[in-house]
Amino acid sequence: MLTPRFELDQDDDFVYIKVHIANIRFSAAAIEMVVNDNVFVFSLPPYYLRLRFPKSLVENEDAHSEFVPKEECIKIRVPKLNKGEFFPDLDLSAKLLARMNEPSIDDKQKKVSMIEEMDVSNDNIESVKNIEQEGQDFDWEISQQLPPIMTDLQKSVKYGFNNEFSDYLTPSLSNGNDINELSDPDHLQPDDRIMERLIKENIKFDMEYYANDYINMKYLVDTEMGDDGIQNAIKFISPFTKIFNESKSKNNVEIEFTQQEKDQMNDLPRKTFLIDDPRPLYYTILCILFAYSYERRSFNGDLNTESAWTIGKLTPQISCVDSQLIQSNNETEKNVIKIIVLTMARRALGFPLYRHYDLIIKSWLDVYWILRCGKRGVLKALLEVRELFRKHDVYYVYCKILFDNLCSWVLRDGCNDNVLRNLSHALKKEVENLSKKDIVFEKIIRDETVETDEGTEKDETFEFLNLEDIEELADEAYQQSL
């Protein structure tokens, strides 16, 4: 359970409690508030708050609570038992969080000084009774701690749209956010996020899984043993390809929005965005569109209840809140479009149902056609992705930190058609130059226990493998099995 941030105030008649519950979706029925003499308890998973006041409270018809959306908090008013009574130390939050009969520091020091040696050789029936009584009297109340004050190195980092958000993801982790891949997303620095992402990609890639899909498509798809799922996915034609090819004007593609999409646009934030460098936003759009295209193509144009998870996992700006993509000390590679193509290829070979190189290429070509449809095409695709996340009880947090503002930015002319057209051509060039040798994973080839002078140690041999190497091994294994 998480202890929420809270603020206290009072007047002659009431104590006012302001509980901050940012970044979670909840229903009023999930909230529990209890007043018992001087103890106030607030519960709203994953938050739990118990305050022990110096004076008594009372729960009656004057008690009141309300949710204030703009402040993302619940304001609570609790009557004092004795009106006009002053409650001291309301500014000492740690004191109010103490458990019942929790000893002070002085009490703890006194207990330490009273420890004495006892003859353990004698059975002491009385001491056993005391232990039993201690067990019965044990204080089972949850221990609470306010979030620690962070040093400069520990302070929350920024992420999401234009790096404007922080402290949003930890509450969602308590609710089961399995899209997130970072150990501590609210405090990892950008370079550390990249490093952790790369490590996870290497671990997640399964050579046997990829080899199985490769052999199925090359040797088995037209046999009784084959599965035509990947074949059908590769044959799928994106609706955006059709829209562009059927459009009368290639520079002003006609895109029609449904009434549902128009309603979604009306719900987007209405604000002006001050963007110093829009390039990371375009990079984010590229990654989201690839994940979206890969998922749609995998299921012949259909999306399902797991699509939000797959799209979120594939997109580094979502699963790893990594909008930087290249470590700041990397001086060897500055072609971000190439990095994006390789990154998304690596992730597409680790997470989705189908993991095939040709499916990656086809999905990137789908992105090309979406970009050629201009910002209206991009907006149409982003709205569909946003709706997947918006409807989810946990993943909706990514609407808060990314999709809401990103869709609004595209809608309100932040996204430029000329830039999208240039981006599409740059993307297509990188995809055409991509080869299987470029997609590399670092894998443990041998993991053995060896004897040394100092005892036994694990001998791990790492090797860099590209897709071409893996396919050659798969071909050899298949031929040997015949």
Side-chain angles (χ1 to χ4, degrees):
M1 301 294 281
L2 300 176
T3 302
R5 291 192 302 111
F6 64 94
E7 301 170 20
L8 299 172
D9 200 357
Q10 65 177 316
D11 59 21
D12 289 342
D13 300 329
F14 300 97
V15 170
Y16 300 94
I17 308 167
K18 184 177 180 181
V19 182
H20 295 270
I21 54 162
N23 321 328
I24 69 165
R25 180 177 293 177
F26 68 94
S27 64
I31 301 176
E32 294 184 16
M33 288 181 279
V34 178
V35 176
N36 183 13
D37 191 24
N38 67 326
V39 177
F40 170 81
V41 176
F42 170 90
S43 176
L44 174 60
Y47 293 117
Y48 175 85
L49 177 66
R50 183 190 60 252
L51 301 174
R52 182 164 281 104
F53 290 94
K55 307 288 184 180
S56 296
L57 303 170
V58 63
E59 188 172 6
N60 57 30
E61 64 276 4
D62 292 329
H64 177 73
S65 65
E66 65 173 332
F67 174 59
V68 184
K70 290 184 178 180
E71 300 183 36
E72 293 187 311
C73 71
I74 294 179
K75 292 185 177 180
I76 306 163
R77 183 184 70 194
V78 185
K80 295 179 179 179
L81 178 62
N82 302 313
K83 296 186 182 300
E85 194 170 37
F86 177 74
F87 283 34
D89 298 336
L90 292 191
D91 58 332
L92 303 179
S93 56
K95 186 174 181 179
L96 298 177
L97 293 172
R99 292 186 292 181
M100 183 172 53
N101 300 324
E102 184 167 284
S104 64
I105 295 177
D106 292 338
D107 293 336
K108 291 178 181 178
Q109 291 175 344
K110 289 178 182 178
K111 286 187 178 182
V112 171
S113 64
M114 292 173 64
I115 295 176
E116 60 179 296
E117 282 191 35
M118 299 184 67
D119 185 1
V120 295
S121 61
N122 298 325
D123 294 333
N124 193 329
I125 299 177
E126 189 63 31
S127 66
V128 174
K129 291 182 179 179
N130 292 338
I131 292 173
E132 182 180 357
Q133 186 62 40
E134 286 182 13
Q136 294 175 356
D137 296 340
F138 189 82
D139 181 8
W140 293 102
E141 284 188 341
I142 297 173
S143 178
Q144 304 178 104
Q145 290 184 345
L146 285 174
I149 298 175
M150 298 292 180
T151 65
D152 289 340
L153 295 177
Q154 296 173 315
K155 285 182 178 178
S156 297
V157 293
K158 299 290 186 179
Y159 48 68
F161 180 85
N162 200 35
N163 284 326
E164 293 178 357
F165 298 88
S166 61
D167 296 322
Y168 266 72
L169 291 176
T170 299
S172 75
L173 300 185
S174 302
N175 281 335
N177 179 1
D178 53 356
I179 284 180
N180 171 72
E181 289 189 14
L182 300 181
S183 57
D184 188 6
D186 281 321
H187 301 111
L188 277 177
Q189 297 297 324
D191 281 354
D192 296 329
R193 296 178 221 165
I194 296 173
M195 181 59 66
E196 194 162 329
R197 172 177 62 78
L198 293 173
I199 292 172
K200 295 286 179 64
E201 288 170 0
N202 285 325
I203 294 173
K204 191 67 178 67
F205 176 70
D206 187 333
M207 290 188 294
E208 293 183 0
Y209 197 121
Y210 176 77
N212 181 72
D213 282 355
Y214 167 75
I215 290 174
N216 177 70
M217 274 295 294
K218 186 172 182 179
Y219 299 106
L220 305 176
V221 70
D222 294 325
T223 69
E224 294 181 357
M225 299 175 59
D227 179 2
D228 61 357
I230 298 177
Q231 187 181 48
N232 292 335
I234 292 174
K235 292 179 179 178
F236 172 75
I237 299 177
S238 168
F240 290 95
T241 304
K242 298 177 182 178
I243 290 173
F244 181 83
N245 290 331
E246 294 173 1
S247 177
K248 296 178 181 178
S249 173
K250 303 306 180 183
N251 292 326
N252 188 18
V253 179
E254 299 173 359
I255 298 285
E256 294 184 1
F257 293 98
T258 65
Q259 185 57 49
Q260 182 182 10
E261 290 169 335
K262 293 176 182 177
D263 292 339
Q264 293 170 15
M265 286 185 247
N266 290 334
D267 291 336
L268 295 175
R270 294 178 174 85
K271 59 182 181 181
T272 301
F273 299 99
L274 300 176
I275 310 296
D276 293 331
D277 183 3
R279 287 176 298 177
L281 297 181
Y282 286 105
Y283 301 152
T284 299
I285 289 173
L286 270 186
C287 295
I288 293 174
L289 292 182
F290 174 84
Y292 163 76
S293 299
Y294 200 97
E295 179 70 358
R296 287 201 69 173
R297 179 171 283 277
S298 296
F299 297 97
N300 297 307
D302 295 328
L303 298 176
N304 54 65
T305 56
E306 297 299 321
S307 293
W309 181 90
T310 305
I311 293 172
K313 278 292 188 184
L314 287 180
T315 308
Q317 293 87 348
I318 298 176
S319 57
C320 302
V321 288
D322 173 21
S323 59
Q324 185 172 292
L325 300 173
I326 302 177
Q327 289 183 308
S328 55
N329 60 355
N330 189 337
E331 298 296 335
T332 60
E333 183 59 74
K334 292 301 181 183
N335 187 340
V336 184
I337 306 300
K338 180 179 179 180
I339 289 294
I340 290 173
V341 171
L342 291 173
T343 296
M344 299 309 294
R346 280 167 54 89
R347 300 192 70 78
L349 296 174
F351 294 98
L353 174 63
Y354 299 129
R355 306 172 188 177
H356 197 273
Y357 179 80
D358 291 346
L359 194 52
I360 293 171
I361 299 300
K362 288 287 187 177
S363 298
W364 272 127
L365 293 178
D366 292 343
V367 176
Y368 168 79
W369 292 116
I370 296 175
L371 296 174
R372 290 303 310 273
C373 289
K375 71 175 186 179
R376 295 173 68 87
V378 170
L379 179 59
K380 191 176 184 69
L382 290 180
L383 287 173
E384 188 171 8
V385 177
R386 173 181 177 266
E387 195 67 5
L388 294 172
F389 284 81
R390 189 186 68 83
K391 291 180 177 179
H392 198 280
D393 289 340
V394 179
Y395 304 156
Y396 79 92
V397 68
Y398 295 106
C399 287
K400 291 276 190 179
I401 68 175
L402 180 60
F403 286 109
D404 288 355
N405 285 345
L406 186 62
C407 290
S408 181
W409 178 72
V410 174
L411 172 65
R412 303 183 194 287
D413 296 327
C415 193
N416 185 282
D417 279 333
N418 291 328
V419 175
L420 291 176
R421 190 179 301 111
N422 293 334
L423 184 60
S424 69
H425 294 310
L427 171 66
K428 190 175 183 181
K429 178 181 178 181
E430 292 301 331
V431 173
E432 289 173 347
N433 292 331
L434 181 68
S435 74
K436 294 179 180 180
K437 288 185 177 181
D438 295 328
I439 305 174
V440 180
F441 294 91
E442 184 179 10
K443 303 298 291 183
I444 298 176
I445 301 303
R446 187 177 71 254
D447 187 355
E448 299 177 346
T449 301
V450 296
E451 297 290 337
T452 66
D453 295 337
E454 300 178 356
T456 59
E457 294 182 357
K458 278 195 172 183
D459 180 22
E460 296 180 342
T461 302
F462 290 87
E463 185 173 333
F464 291 97
L465 292 175
N466 60 55
L467 294 191
E468 192 171 281
D469 296 332
I470 297 170
E471 290 179 2
E472 289 178 0
L473 294 173
D475 287 330
E476 292 176 6
Y478 179 75
Q479 294 300 328
Q480 292 173 3
S481 69
L482 296 178

